[in-house]
Amino acid sequence: MNTIPKKTLITAYPCEFERLLETFTQTANAFCSPTGYEIDEDNRKQIELILRYFIGDKTIEAEGIFLHKGLMLYGNVGTGKTLLMEIIRKMSNTCFPDNYFQMVRARDLVLAYESHGSKGIERYIWNTENTTFGSKKPFALCLDDIGIGNEKAYYFGNYLNVIAEIFLGRYAVVRDWNNRKITHITTNLNADKIEELYGNRVRSRLREMFNPILFTGKDRRK
């Protein structure tokens, strides 16, 4: 069975970590103006791991975070998973541009399928739209808020579990030597709930695709 190649998908940007953390804090506070962004015992370690990941620091492999896999931020509702990835994406423009990724909400993918069928979601897999002879041009992607609502859809009588289809498609993308692009996700689900929604076939692939990072603590939206 072919597996995901272990060659890194993250470009290294060696830098002084304290300076990077300072840049993160400034970016996060501006992003969350006027209240600012809170770093505390519930998210400090996760932020450190994610920043080190995005600058391609291979020492994090000793902590079980691998640079040939994407990130899976999971945990309680309101613990800041989506917000953190939005801040990282904002930072990437200047701090680690080769590791930039697009973000799309799971619900928007469902709506895209309901409106346009498979063409509506193909962009987020191989992205052949508007390319010469339908050539592949996938991009790095963060699938946001996986599992928060109904992800099954119909298009002219064709039934599809949209997110399961996206997962399987992105698995093919990350295994393609010529077009490999990384995928990240945020979700409130644990592994058992993921299997319940998408099946064991998807769950087994997620183990290959993602570094799980757990978020706990209070609901920061309150």
Side-chain angles (χ1 to χ4, degrees):
M1 175 182 173
N2 293 328
T3 58
I4 291 174
K6 292 187 177 181
K7 183 179 179 181
T8 179
L9 285 170
I10 296 295
T11 301
Y13 287 88
C15 65
E16 181 184 346
F17 184 77
E18 290 305 317
R19 181 173 295 181
L20 180 69
L21 184 58
E22 182 179 335
T23 300
F24 171 84
T25 303
Q26 292 171 350
T27 305
N29 285 335
F31 202 89
C32 299
S33 178
T35 58
Y37 184 85
E38 183 179 9
I39 300 178
D40 55 29
E41 292 305 311
D42 288 327
N43 64 10
R44 184 173 286 107
K45 180 63 175 178
Q46 290 87 338
I47 290 169
E48 177 184 336
L49 283 173
I50 291 168
L51 286 175
R52 288 168 61 197
Y53 170 89
F54 275 100
I55 60 171
D57 180 358
K58 288 189 176 183
T59 65
I60 61 173
E61 293 188 351
E63 302 181 61
I65 306 295
F66 300 97
L67 300 180
H68 67 281
K69 297 183 179 185
L71 298 179
M72 172 181 168
L73 279 58
Y74 76 105
N76 297 339
V77 173
T79 48
K81 302 177 293 294
T82 294
L83 176 58
L84 180 51
M85 290 303 280
E86 288 174 338
I87 295 167
I88 293 293
R89 186 166 70 103
K90 180 74 172 177
M91 282 183 67
S92 69
N93 292 323
T94 54
C95 295
F96 28 82
D98 288 345
N99 300 328
Y100 176 83
F101 55 88
Q102 296 190 31
M103 288 185 73
V104 61
R105 295 186 308 166
R107 182 55 186 159
D108 289 339
L109 290 169
V110 174
L111 293 174
Y113 180 79
E114 290 176 339
S115 299
H116 304 290
S118 60
K119 289 184 178 180
I121 61 173
E122 188 280 336
R123 176 174 182 266
Y124 301 100
I125 303 175
W126 293 110
N127 190 29
T128 60
E129 195 175 46
N130 300 322
T131 61
T132 305
F133 304 116
S135 58
K136 300 172 182 178
K137 198 176 180 181
F139 46 79
L141 179 67
C142 179
L143 303 170
D144 184 39
D145 274 343
I146 296 300
I148 65 168
N150 183 11
E151 295 170 351
K152 300 173 183 178
Y154 287 89
Y155 180 76
F156 285 92
N158 295 314
Y159 167 83
L160 188 71
N161 186 318
V162 175
I163 303 305
E165 185 71 13
I166 293 287
F167 276 143
L168 295 174
R170 293 298 299 191
Y171 180 75
V173 168
V174 80
R175 290 173 60 207
D176 188 311
W177 273 107
N178 296 318
N179 300 282
R180 297 179 70 211
K181 291 294 179 181
I182 209 157
T183 306
H184 311 292
I185 64 172
T186 73
T187 183
N188 300 329
L189 305 178
N190 59 28
D192 290 338
K193 287 292 185 181
I194 285 175
E195 182 171 346
E196 184 180 315
L197 276 179
Y198 307 119
N200 183 63
R201 184 179 176 212
V202 167
R203 180 179 178 177
S204 66
R205 282 158 175 74
L206 298 193
R207 283 195 290 266
E208 284 191 72
M209 291 175 69
F210 298 112
N211 298 294
I213 298 180
L214 175 63
F215 282 73
T216 58
K218 63 186 178 182
D219 186 341
R220 296 173 186 271
R221 296 173 185 163
K222 292 181 179 179

